[in-house]
Amino acid sequence: MFSRSIKIAPSILAADFANFGAECRAIEAQGADWVHVDVMDGHFVPNLTFGPAMCAALRPHIKGVMDVHLMISPVDVYLEAYAKAGADVITAHVEAGPHIHRTLQAIRGLGKKAGVALNPGTPAEAVAELLDMVDMVCVMTVNPGFGGQSFIESQLAKIARLRQMIGDREVHIEIDGGVTVATAPLVSKAGADVLVAGSAVFKGGSAEAPEAYGANIRAIRAAAEAALA
Ligand code: DX5
Ligand code: ZN
């Protein structure tokens, strides 16, 4: 089941907030592999987004993987609620508290895939002791909190380092922030396989006219795959 093929995960942070159900159906119909849901608490990051009830409401509109990125602290108290809301992958930040190991154990204990995310200022080595207990490492290529920011190039060396550290383990590398047709080849070449993209997927389209979503997803995928050929 595990594969390092390129997966495109549109972030609904860039969707029409008055139309999430239709937006999720549209991006999947247009070729999205995963749907990325950015949960923000106004404390760990300076923005507020979706609670568990929102995720539960979205679940019936998502056929594939619901990838829930928790940018919240504390995080442990909310894991069960997001698991019950139907998340397939739950990602917590290594910076969110002193007990990321316990958090990851709890996510797996809830029967979900566990992801660990690193902010741009956190070195790859911060997850060295966690690689046997995660299904994904998420490398933030912007400072979390907002969509539409520029890709931080210095993270490329970190992605390559993580790819080396992961070795043969069945652990995805997800890239989150500033992924575009221009940056996708850089991250795939460095070893990433899950590419989150918000603004670059949703630009130019809508749930009523979703063809642009499809064209954007295909262009990002093609750019990422071309770098591997
Ligand atoms: C940032 C979020 C990202 C963001 C990506 O805090 O975790 O998922 O929405 O948006 P773009 O692709 O626009 O950088
Ligand atoms: Zn995210």
mmCIF file of all heavy atoms in Angstrom, residues 116-144:
data_model
loop_
_atom_site.group_PDB
_atom_site.id
_atom_site.type_symbol
_atom_site.label_atom_id
_atom_site.label_comp_id
_atom_site.label_asym_id
_atom_site.label_seq_id
_atom_site.Cartn_x
_atom_site.Cartn_y
_atom_site.Cartn_z
ATOM 1 N N VAL A 116 4.410 13.920 12.008
ATOM 2 C CA VAL A 116 5.077 14.905 12.872
ATOM 3 C C VAL A 116 5.565 16.036 11.971
ATOM 4 O O VAL A 116 6.175 15.794 10.929
ATOM 5 C CB VAL A 116 6.209 14.266 13.698
ATOM 6 C CG1 VAL A 116 7.338 13.693 12.846
ATOM 7 C CG2 VAL A 116 6.763 15.265 14.706
ATOM 8 N N ALA A 117 5.248 17.272 12.360
ATOM 9 C CA ALA A 117 5.611 18.438 11.544
ATOM 10 C C ALA A 117 6.731 19.224 12.206
ATOM 11 O O ALA A 117 6.824 19.283 13.435
ATOM 12 C CB ALA A 117 4.393 19.336 11.346
ATOM 13 N N LEU A 118 7.578 19.829 11.364
ATOM 14 C CA LEU A 118 8.679 20.673 11.834
ATOM 15 C C LEU A 118 8.539 22.070 11.259
ATOM 16 O O LEU A 118 8.410 22.246 10.043
ATOM 17 C CB LEU A 118 10.028 20.124 11.375
ATOM 18 C CG LEU A 118 10.452 18.736 11.805
ATOM 19 C CD1 LEU A 118 10.080 17.741 10.717
ATOM 20 C CD2 LEU A 118 11.956 18.696 12.002
ATOM 21 N N ASN A 119 8.632 23.067 12.127
ATOM 22 C CA ASN A 119 8.682 24.459 11.680
ATOM 23 C C ASN A 119 10.013 24.715 10.977
ATOM 24 O O ASN A 119 10.991 23.991 11.185
ATOM 25 C CB ASN A 119 8.544 25.393 12.883
ATOM 26 C CG ASN A 119 7.107 25.508 13.352
ATOM 27 O OD1 ASN A 119 6.178 25.335 12.577
ATOM 28 N ND2 ASN A 119 6.923 25.793 14.630
ATOM 29 N N PRO A 120 10.068 25.784 10.191
ATOM 30 C CA PRO A 120 11.322 26.075 9.461
ATOM 31 C C PRO A 120 12.546 26.226 10.362
ATOM 32 O O PRO A 120 13.651 25.871 9.952
ATOM 33 C CB PRO A 120 11.004 27.387 8.733
ATOM 34 C CG PRO A 120 9.527 27.372 8.555
ATOM 35 C CD PRO A 120 8.978 26.679 9.778
ATOM 36 N N GLY A 121 12.367 26.681 11.583
ATOM 37 C CA GLY A 121 13.510 26.877 12.471
ATOM 38 C C GLY A 121 13.963 25.634 13.212
ATOM 39 O O GLY A 121 14.919 25.691 13.988
ATOM 40 N N THR A 122 13.285 24.522 12.985
ATOM 41 C CA THR A 122 13.585 23.279 13.717
ATOM 42 C C THR A 122 14.396 22.337 12.834
ATOM 43 O O THR A 122 14.003 22.067 11.700
ATOM 44 C CB THR A 122 12.262 22.590 14.129
ATOM 45 O OG1 THR A 122 11.490 23.516 14.884
ATOM 46 C CG2 THR A 122 12.509 21.346 14.952
ATOM 47 N N PRO A 123 15.514 21.831 13.339
ATOM 48 C CA PRO A 123 16.349 20.960 12.503
ATOM 49 C C PRO A 123 15.765 19.561 12.315
ATOM 50 O O PRO A 123 14.971 19.103 13.145
ATOM 51 C CB PRO A 123 17.671 20.877 13.290
ATOM 52 C CG PRO A 123 17.290 21.141 14.703
ATOM 53 C CD PRO A 123 16.103 22.069 14.662
ATOM 54 N N ALA A 124 16.177 18.886 11.270
ATOM 55 C CA ALA A 124 15.733 17.518 10.976
ATOM 56 C C ALA A 124 15.959 16.591 12.168
ATOM 57 O O ALA A 124 15.136 15.719 12.460
ATOM 58 C CB ALA A 124 16.482 16.995 9.753
ATOM 59 N N GLU A 125 17.047 16.799 12.880
ATOM 60 C CA GLU A 125 17.423 15.916 13.983
ATOM 61 C C GLU A 125 16.374 15.888 15.100
ATOM 62 O O GLU A 125 16.344 14.957 15.894
ATOM 63 C CB GLU A 125 18.782 16.332 14.563
ATOM 64 C CG GLU A 125 19.977 15.899 13.716
ATOM 65 C CD GLU A 125 20.018 16.536 12.328
ATOM 66 O OE1 GLU A 125 19.534 17.687 12.160
ATOM 67 O OE2 GLU A 125 20.513 15.876 11.394
ATOM 68 N N ALA A 126 15.510 16.899 15.144
ATOM 69 C CA ALA A 126 14.471 16.941 16.188
ATOM 70 C C ALA A 126 13.517 15.748 16.098
ATOM 71 O O ALA A 126 12.831 15.433 17.075
ATOM 72 C CB ALA A 126 13.687 18.250 16.106
ATOM 73 N N VAL A 127 13.457 15.082 14.934
ATOM 74 C CA VAL A 127 12.556 13.930 14.807
ATOM 75 C C VAL A 127 13.316 12.604 14.736
ATOM 76 O O VAL A 127 12.714 11.550 14.506
ATOM 77 C CB VAL A 127 11.587 14.066 13.595
ATOM 78 C CG1 VAL A 127 10.703 15.296 13.761
ATOM 79 C CG2 VAL A 127 12.327 14.113 12.269
ATOM 80 N N ALA A 128 14.620 12.648 14.958
ATOM 81 C CA ALA A 128 15.448 11.436 14.813
ATOM 82 C C ALA A 128 14.938 10.276 15.663
ATOM 83 O O ALA A 128 14.957 9.124 15.221
ATOM 84 C CB ALA A 128 16.900 11.752 15.160
ATOM 85 N N GLU A 129 14.473 10.557 16.860
ATOM 86 C CA GLU A 129 14.017 9.488 17.767
ATOM 87 C C GLU A 129 12.571 9.078 17.508
ATOM 88 O O GLU A 129 12.024 8.247 18.230
ATOM 89 C CB GLU A 129 14.156 9.941 19.229
ATOM 90 C CG GLU A 129 15.565 10.355 19.629
ATOM 91 C CD GLU A 129 16.579 9.228 19.408
ATOM 92 O OE1 GLU A 129 16.232 8.055 19.653
ATOM 93 O OE2 GLU A 129 17.707 9.545 18.983
ATOM 94 N N LEU A 130 11.943 9.679 16.518
ATOM 95 C CA LEU A 130 10.512 9.454 16.293
ATOM 96 C C LEU A 130 10.225 8.692 15.005
ATOM 97 O O LEU A 130 9.081 8.334 14.736
ATOM 98 C CB LEU A 130 9.777 10.806 16.254
ATOM 99 C CG LEU A 130 10.021 11.733 17.459
ATOM 100 C CD1 LEU A 130 9.427 13.116 17.201
ATOM 101 C CD2 LEU A 130 9.415 11.121 18.715
ATOM 102 N N LEU A 131 11.254 8.441 14.218
ATOM 103 C CA LEU A 131 11.021 7.932 12.866
ATOM 104 C C LEU A 131 10.414 6.534 12.823
ATOM 105 O O LEU A 131 9.783 6.163 11.835
ATOM 106 C CB LEU A 131 12.319 7.979 12.046
ATOM 107 C CG LEU A 131 12.831 9.403 11.785
ATOM 108 C CD1 LEU A 131 14.169 9.356 11.051
ATOM 109 C CD2 LEU A 131 11.809 10.219 10.992
ATOM 110 N N ASP A 132 10.576 5.762 13.902
ATOM 111 C CA ASP A 132 9.976 4.425 13.928
ATOM 112 C C ASP A 132 8.526 4.449 14.395
ATOM 113 O O ASP A 132 7.882 3.404 14.459
ATOM 114 C CB ASP A 132 10.798 3.487 14.829
ATOM 115 C CG ASP A 132 12.125 3.128 14.166
ATOM 116 O OD1 ASP A 132 12.131 2.916 12.936
ATOM 117 O OD2 ASP A 132 13.146 3.089 14.875
ATOM 118 N N MET A 133 8.019 5.614 14.764
ATOM 119 C CA MET A 133 6.646 5.672 15.270
ATOM 120 C C MET A 133 5.768 6.654 14.486
ATOM 121 O O MET A 133 4.695 7.017 14.950
ATOM 122 C CB MET A 133 6.644 6.034 16.757
ATOM 123 C CG MET A 133 7.315 7.340 17.062
ATOM 124 S SD MET A 133 7.488 7.640 18.840
ATOM 125 C CE MET A 133 5.831 7.396 19.417
ATOM 126 N N VAL A 134 6.226 7.028 13.292
ATOM 127 C CA VAL A 134 5.411 7.927 12.468
ATOM 128 C C VAL A 134 5.197 7.339 11.074
ATOM 129 O O VAL A 134 5.950 6.480 10.614
ATOM 130 C CB VAL A 134 6.044 9.335 12.321
ATOM 131 C CG1 VAL A 134 6.071 10.056 13.655
ATOM 132 C CG2 VAL A 134 7.410 9.276 11.690
ATOM 133 N N ASP A 135 4.141 7.829 10.436
ATOM 134 C CA ASP A 135 3.844 7.461 9.059
ATOM 135 C C ASP A 135 4.229 8.584 8.106
ATOM 136 O O ASP A 135 4.281 8.393 6.897
ATOM 137 C CB ASP A 135 2.341 7.173 8.935
ATOM 138 C CG ASP A 135 1.932 6.048 9.871
ATOM 139 O OD1 ASP A 135 2.251 4.896 9.562
ATOM 140 O OD2 ASP A 135 1.342 6.335 10.950
ATOM 141 N N MET A 136 4.500 9.757 8.669
ATOM 142 C CA MET A 136 4.808 10.910 7.829
ATOM 143 C C MET A 136 5.586 11.956 8.626
ATOM 144 O O MET A 136 5.334 12.155 9.814
ATOM 145 C CB MET A 136 3.490 11.528 7.331
ATOM 146 C CG MET A 136 3.657 12.658 6.347
ATOM 147 S SD MET A 136 2.091 13.044 5.571
ATOM 148 C CE MET A 136 1.385 14.156 6.788
ATOM 149 N N VAL A 137 6.524 12.603 7.939
ATOM 150 C CA VAL A 137 7.171 13.802 8.484
ATOM 151 C C VAL A 137 6.744 14.949 7.574
ATOM 152 O O VAL A 137 6.833 14.852 6.345
ATOM 153 C CB VAL A 137 8.708 13.670 8.494
ATOM 154 C CG1 VAL A 137 9.348 14.965 8.989
ATOM 155 C CG2 VAL A 137 9.150 12.496 9.370
ATOM 156 N N CYS A 138 6.240 16.013 8.182
ATOM 157 C CA CYS A 138 5.791 17.185 7.418
ATOM 158 C C CYS A 138 6.810 18.304 7.618
ATOM 159 O O CYS A 138 7.035 18.743 8.749
ATOM 160 C CB CYS A 138 4.411 17.622 7.913
ATOM 161 S SG CYS A 138 3.874 19.205 7.233
ATOM 162 N N VAL A 139 7.403 18.738 6.520
ATOM 163 C CA VAL A 139 8.380 19.827 6.576
ATOM 164 C C VAL A 139 7.667 21.117 6.186
ATOM 165 O O VAL A 139 7.184 21.260 5.053
ATOM 166 C CB VAL A 139 9.560 19.569 5.615
ATOM 167 C CG1 VAL A 139 10.554 20.724 5.660
ATOM 168 C CG2 VAL A 139 10.245 18.251 5.952
ATOM 169 N N MET A 140 7.591 22.042 7.118
ATOM 170 C CA MET A 140 6.984 23.341 6.830
ATOM 171 C C MET A 140 7.984 24.180 6.041
ATOM 172 O O MET A 140 9.100 24.425 6.514
ATOM 173 C CB MET A 140 6.627 24.085 8.125
ATOM 174 C CG MET A 140 5.542 23.462 8.983
ATOM 175 S SD MET A 140 3.973 23.176 8.149
ATOM 176 C CE MET A 140 3.571 24.799 7.540
ATOM 177 N N THR A 141 7.559 24.609 4.870
ATOM 178 C CA THR A 141 8.430 25.437 4.037
ATOM 179 C C THR A 141 7.957 26.892 4.025
ATOM 180 O O THR A 141 8.387 27.685 3.183
ATOM 181 C CB THR A 141 8.531 24.835 2.620
ATOM 182 O OG1 THR A 141 7.243 24.375 2.226
ATOM 183 C CG2 THR A 141 9.485 23.649 2.602
ATOM 184 N N VAL A 142 7.069 27.196 4.985
ATOM 185 C CA VAL A 142 6.735 28.578 5.359
ATOM 186 C C VAL A 142 6.540 28.538 6.876
ATOM 187 O O VAL A 142 6.395 27.453 7.448
ATOM 188 C CB VAL A 142 5.421 29.099 4.711
ATOM 189 C CG1 VAL A 142 5.530 29.135 3.194
ATOM 190 C CG2 VAL A 142 4.205 28.279 5.155
ATOM 191 N N ASN A 143 6.512 29.685 7.522
ATOM 192 C CA ASN A 143 6.135 29.705 8.936
ATOM 193 C C ASN A 143 4.629 29.530 9.009
ATOM 194 O O ASN A 143 3.881 30.259 8.352
ATOM 195 C CB ASN A 143 6.606 31.006 9.588
ATOM 196 C CG ASN A 143 8.095 30.947 9.866
ATOM 197 O OD1 ASN A 143 8.544 30.137 10.675
ATOM 198 N ND2 ASN A 143 8.871 31.753 9.175
ATOM 199 N N PRO A 144 4.161 28.526 9.771
ATOM 200 C CA PRO A 144 2.749 28.180 9.718
ATOM 201 C C PRO A 144 1.843 29.305 10.223
ATOM 202 O O PRO A 144 2.229 30.093 11.072
ATOM 203 C CB PRO A 144 2.652 26.946 10.624
ATOM 204 C CG PRO A 144 3.836 27.005 11.510
ATOM 205 C CD PRO A 144 4.912 27.673 10.704
#
